[in-house]
Amino acid sequence: MSSLLVDNIGELVTNGVGEGPLGIRRRAAVLIEAGRMAWVGPAAYAPAADRRIDAGGAAVLPGFVDSHAHLVFAGDRAAEFAARMAGERYTGGGIRTTVGATRAASDDDLRATVRRLRGEALRQGTTTMEIKSGYGLTVADEARSLRIAAETSTETTFLGAHVVPAEYADRPDDYVGLVCGPMLAAAAPHAKWIDVFCERGAFDVDHARAILACGQAAGLGVRVHANQLGPGPGVQLGVELGAASVDHCTHLSDDDVAALAGTASDDGPGTRTVATLLPGAEFSTRSPYPDARRLLDAGVTVALATDCNPGTSYTSSMPFCVALAVREMGMTPAEAVWAATAGGARALRRDDVGVLTAGARADLVVLDAPSYLHLAYRPGVPLIRQVLLNGVPQ
Ligand SMILES: [Zn+2]
């Protein structure tokens, strides 16, 4: 069995035992065997290995865990973005533009887009990436979206309930019946999760509850797009159903925050509902950012993700989201880096990623910087020097 030593690490973020909330170790080394972290310790005591990477005193972090991305689509909406920046408001209606383009695209076109964006994210340090369907909205198009997503990620999410497609505009009950019936049956073999856009203009709480319950009955885990555009019942619905994550959380009541905080006092990380914040969406829609400070102070587990999609957040960059979270959402750099790594892992109910402790997957990034602080301190600068995925240099 071949082993790889990453040596001469100036600052190692483990998210485990160590200094501060990031479990930092200084002058460290890690040994990788069979794609896993086999040993973590002081560089001075590093064991022998078949191969060695010299980190040159740089910082090493767990790879980013992007728990919210919509990569299966065709076309772009740059003109809609420009119109918004000229003063138009985002209403969610633009999703239908992408639905039309996606239905018309070939499998190979969709596959090429997924691979391009996944590659882009990997080069920016993302080693785990959730991928949603939601731009097909027919039985065949949702099934093929998930089939293509599953070629690239094990974290695939059925989002047939993204919007009610135009052909069902007058009969949303019929569309919910389609989602819960034949569409779910065709999607479930390729999906780990089910998700609903629970928002005015998309799905109301009764429809959202019905769809999520059907997904749960089919063995899928629950996630919810909630409270993005205004206050609403989505967050509390997610908590009620034991969702792994409620995503966006931009407009929260005190009761919403208390409901999320209540899950944190349950029986450990496996039962918590994480609040996943998506600052790329507020950036791209010029909207007020979610208040991460309020959630953290209440004891809620917070994750950061990109929401990468062609309409409202066309970024695949987790370092960009970290910088936004620090500058605009009241997070410290340590809180933002934790949320983008271990927090994302919690949002996917994973304990093998987002941490660099013995036994974890060897998904890690070497920065072109001496400290994780530089991710927020030097925004927009390509600081990812090297990415290891499952112990393999990319
Ligand atoms: Zn989304």
Side-chain angles (χ1 to χ4, degrees):
M1 183 169 55
S2 146
S3 57
L4 170 64
L5 184 73
V6 182
D7 200 2
N8 197 14
I9 299 169
E11 178 186 275
L12 176 68
V13 172
T14 67
N15 288 334
V17 176
E19 172 195 322
L22 295 178
I24 287 175
R25 290 164 173 247
R26 311 215 177 258
R27 291 173 293 284
V30 303
L31 181 71
I32 297 165
E33 285 174 351
R36 297 271 163 177
M37 303 289 293
W39 177 89
V40 179
Y45 300 105
D50 301 318
R51 289 172 300 143
R52 178 175 177 272
I53 290 175
D54 184 348
V60 169
L61 282 73
F64 298 115
V65 179
D66 184 353
S67 62
H68 186 137
H70 307 249
L71 303 189
V72 193
F73 65 84
D76 83 35
R77 282 153 57 192
E80 181 190 312
F81 173 77
R84 267 201 314 275
M85 294 306 106
E88 275 179 34
R89 223 182 119 77
Y90 174 63
T91 60
I95 293 169
R96 293 199 181 95
T97 310
T98 300
V99 170
T102 303
R103 288 176 178 174
S106 70
D107 289 9
D108 282 346
D109 284 346
L110 296 178
R111 188 172 284 121
T113 298
V114 171
R115 289 189 180 162
R116 174 175 62 82
L117 293 169
R118 182 67 191 90
E120 201 177 270
L122 183 66
R123 289 193 296 280
Q124 296 172 92
T126 298
T127 48
T128 301
M129 198 169 193
E130 183 257 17
I131 305 177
K132 301 177 195 297
S133 68
Y135 293 116
L137 309 187
T138 66
V139 172
D141 286 309
E142 284 297 299
R144 80 163 172 154
S145 295
L146 286 162
R147 213 168 45 237
I148 289 167
E151 294 170 3
T152 299
S153 179
T154 57
E155 301 293 343
T156 53
T157 300
F158 170 44
L159 182 58
H162 199 182
V163 288
V164 176
E167 63 272 23
Y168 282 89
D170 300 333
R171 40 194 187 107
D173 289 344
D174 290 355
Y175 185 66
V176 172
L178 179 73
V179 171
C180 287
M183 198 184 279
L184 174 62
H190 314 290
K192 179 172 172 185
W193 305 97
I194 188 163
D195 193 346
V196 172
F197 190 18
C198 182
E199 196 83 41
R200 192 170 309 183
F203 293 86
D204 67 24
V205 68
D206 294 332
H207 283 156
R209 183 185 282 109
I211 290 163
L212 295 173
C214 292
Q216 270 181 319
L220 304 182
V222 169
R223 344 183 50 76
V224 188
H225 280 69
N227 302 56
Q228 176 189 4
L229 304 177
V235 164
Q236 294 192 48
L237 175 66
V239 170
E240 172 196 323
L241 296 177
S245 179
V246 288
D247 295 34
H248 284 291
C249 295
T250 310
H251 298 272
L252 297 183
S253 68
D254 289 346
D255 286 347
D256 295 332
V257 176
L260 287 166
T263 69
S265 55
D266 288 347
D267 307 326
T271 61
R272 285 181 195 181
T273 298
V274 173
T276 298
L277 310 183
L278 310 167
E282 280 76 31
F283 178 89
S284 297
T285 56
R286 201 177 269 159
S287 302
Y289 289 91
D291 187 349
R293 188 77 263 140
R294 179 182 178 206
L295 289 162
L296 289 164
D297 289 347
V300 176
T301 302
V302 172
L304 288 170
T306 62
D307 195 18
C308 183
N309 79 83
T312 56
S313 184
Y314 202 6
T315 181
S316 55
S317 173
M318 290 293 279
F320 173 65
C321 294
V322 166
L324 282 182
V326 171
R327 174 61 183 83
E328 304 288 347
M329 288 157 52
M331 297 179 86
T332 66
E335 286 167 341
V337 165
W338 191 93
T341 51
R346 298 275 173 90
L348 295 170
R349 299 225 160 132
R350 296 274 298 268
D351 56 14
D352 60 331
V353 296
V355 293
L356 292 179
T357 51
R361 272 175 62 114
D363 292 348
L364 53 93
V365 299
V366 183
L367 294 188
D368 246 332
S371 169
Y372 73 88
L373 289 169
H374 285 229
L375 290 166
Y377 172 50
R378 306 199 64 215
V381 177
L383 292 178
I384 309 300
R385 182 194 299 168
Q386 185 161 35
V387 181
L388 274 69
L389 184 63
N390 225 2
V392 179
Q394 301 296 297

